[in-house]
Amino acid sequence: MKKNLLIILLLTLFIKPVQAQFGMGKIEEIEAVQGRKLIVMIEEPRERMIKKLTKKPKRGSVEEYKADLIKYNALMKEVVEKFWPHNKENISYKTYEQIEALKKSKSKEYAVLCCLSAEPSSYSSGFNFNDGLYWTKSIKLDFEDSDDDMFTMMVVNTIEDFGRSPVFQTPLFDVFPTKAAIAYGLATTKNYFEMRIRTKKEGGSMRDERKMVEKKIEENAPRIKDKTLLIRAEWLDEELTEANFKDHYPYKYKICDREFMDNVVMTQNSEYAYGVVLPNVMSGSRSNSVFYFQYVFDGKDGTMMAMVMPSQGSMMAASGITGKAGKRNFTFKIMEKLLAQINGKK
């Protein structure tokens, strides 16, 4: 595990595909975001999504899509106002067009936060900020449709660079973001900002960060057995079911839905730890690859307690051949690896 932690750190903790993470966002840009008024982009019905729904009505109706956007905007507001760590008194909510107009005014008072969906095949050319979020009514379809590899990133930027290279971006574990996924994105952004500023002040390195992550995993993983582990039902493998889960995990657990996990995260409930499946999209010069990792976070504060990564061989194969590495769910093998960490085995 030790020899792979630098790879893990680059891929998963401070996400910025292609480049080493110390290269994303200048320190002065990070400090600017921390001190500025925050604008959260409101999600509106997008022409791209409406066309998709018209062609494939099994994904849901336009009316259902619009209704879910209203719910998303409300939950985004709830989560941001609870977990955004900077300048909480000056958070506002604007549409893409309103943000673009403010950008043209040459204002430098604002930072912008938004969630954007894309496909790995188009990732190398960046996001189309005007396309917003991908949506489908069915959770199962959203997660298991093998012909659709949409993923969603949380993107943070200064307003003058809105639509261009971000100060920071991180993948979320839900394509259409839940409260838990948004909270994760905000926590990861906060941790990245703190890491960059800390290494600047203390002269740290990636090796130092790797050692810190390794130590935290070793300390935190055994504590999972003292909590109730949450796994969402749609993240169970076909063979690993709610009925046989107890045969592969001897400690307290609960197979739950999205709403239950959201509630745990929003109430910061220390009785639980929660497992997620997180995609990481790596863009190369010729192709794009998706790596799937399984994480366990503390329900109290989102602290990482454990993680299971794809094998090094499968990641190398994904980069040039398969395009994918890891599993989009929890399997027998993944639970075995998770238990090894919990029981202090490397």
Side-chain angles (χ1 to χ4, degrees), residues 47-62:
E47 183 179 351
R48 177 194 64 158
M49 252 340 295
I50 291 175
K51 286 182 178 179
K52 280 181 177 288
L53 296 175
T54 301
K55 293 180 180 179
K56 296 184 177 181
K58 71 173 184 176
R59 296 187 179 276
S61 69
V62 173

Side-chain angles (χ1 to χ4, degrees), residues 236-273:
L236 293 180
D237 184 64
E238 289 183 359
E239 294 183 351
L240 180 64
T241 66
E242 188 168 357
N244 66 25
F245 195 88
K246 63 181 181 296
D247 298 329
H248 301 275
Y249 187 75
Y251 308 115
K252 293 180 292 185
Y253 70 90
K254 179 179 177 63
I255 307 303
C256 68
D257 57 18
R258 294 184 175 196
E259 288 73 23
F260 191 94
M261 186 176 287
D262 281 352
N263 183 64
V264 166
V265 171
M266 292 301 294
T267 59
Q268 298 177 286
N269 194 325
S270 61
E271 295 180 11
Y272 296 94

Side-chain angles (χ1 to χ4, degrees), residues 138-316:
S138 168
I139 292 175
K140 184 176 178 64
L141 186 63
D142 179 14
F143 189 73
E144 294 184 354
D145 189 344
S146 59
D147 294 326
D148 197 337
D149 289 323
M150 297 296 293
F151 68 101
T152 293
M153 301 282 278
M154 178 176 283
V155 180
V156 182
N157 219 334
T158 58
I159 192 166
E160 56 267 33
D161 285 329
F162 178 68
R164 296 197 288 264
S165 297
V167 173
F168 184 64
Q169 61 189 25
T170 185
L172 303 181
F173 48 77
D174 288 310
V175 178
F176 195 78
T178 56
K179 291 180 182 180
I182 296 168
Y184 163 80
L186 293 173
T188 303
T189 301
K190 174 179 177 290
N191 292 340
Y192 174 78
F193 284 178
E194 290 177 350
M195 180 275 293
R196 289 292 306 280
I197 292 171
R198 180 175 66 250
T199 53
K200 177 187 177 183
K201 290 181 178 179
E202 300 175 3
S205 66
M206 285 300 294
R207 178 173 301 207
D208 297 328
E209 295 299 321
R210 182 194 68 192
K211 290 180 179 179
M212 188 182 304
V213 170
E214 182 182 67
K215 183 178 179 181
K216 286 182 177 179
I217 292 173
E218 291 178 355
E219 291 174 351
N220 291 337
R223 296 193 295 111
I224 296 173
K225 68 178 68 172
D226 300 321
K227 297 175 179 286
T228 299
L229 176 65
L230 297 181
I231 303 290
R232 291 203 325 227
E234 72 264 26
W235 281 332
L236 293 180
D237 184 64
E238 289 183 359
E239 294 183 351
L240 180 64
T241 66
E242 188 168 357
N244 66 25
F245 195 88
K246 63 181 181 296
D247 298 329
H248 301 275
Y249 187 75
Y251 308 115
K252 293 180 292 185
Y253 70 90
K254 179 179 177 63
I255 307 303
C256 68
D257 57 18
R258 294 184 175 196
E259 288 73 23
F260 191 94
M261 186 176 287
D262 281 352
N263 183 64
V264 166
V265 171
M266 292 301 294
T267 59
Q268 298 177 286
N269 194 325
S270 61
E271 295 180 11
Y272 296 94
Y274 59 98
V276 304
V277 181
L278 187 68
N280 294 287
V281 180
M282 300 297 293
S283 181
S285 59
R286 296 184 178 181
S287 62
N288 300 284
S289 303
V290 184
F291 302 156
Y292 293 98
F293 293 74
Q294 285 71 29
Y295 285 86
V296 177
F297 297 109
D298 194 329
K300 180 180 179 180
D301 55 13
T303 297
M304 183 174 66
M305 304 187 77
M307 64 179 164
V308 177
M309 62 180 291
S311 68
Q312 197 165 5
S314 67
M315 288 194 292
M316 292 178 65

Side-chain angles (χ1 to χ4, degrees), residues 41 43 46 48-49 52 65 69 72 114-123 125-136 142 148-155 169-178 279 281:
M41 188 169 78
E43 186 64 15
R46 309 288 181 159
R48 177 194 64 158
M49 252 340 295
K52 280 181 177 288
Y65 164 58
L69 293 185
Y72 164 78
C114 60
C115 294
L116 302 168
S117 300
E119 293 179 278
S121 59
S122 62
Y123 183 75
S125 60
F127 293 100
N128 184 341
F129 279 59
N130 197 30
D131 278 348
L133 289 173
Y134 179 83
W135 176 89
T136 182
D142 179 14
D148 197 337
D149 289 323
M150 297 296 293
F151 68 101
T152 293
M153 301 282 278
M154 178 176 283
V155 180
Q169 61 189 25
T170 185
L172 303 181
F173 48 77
D174 288 310
V175 178
F176 195 78
T178 56
V281 180

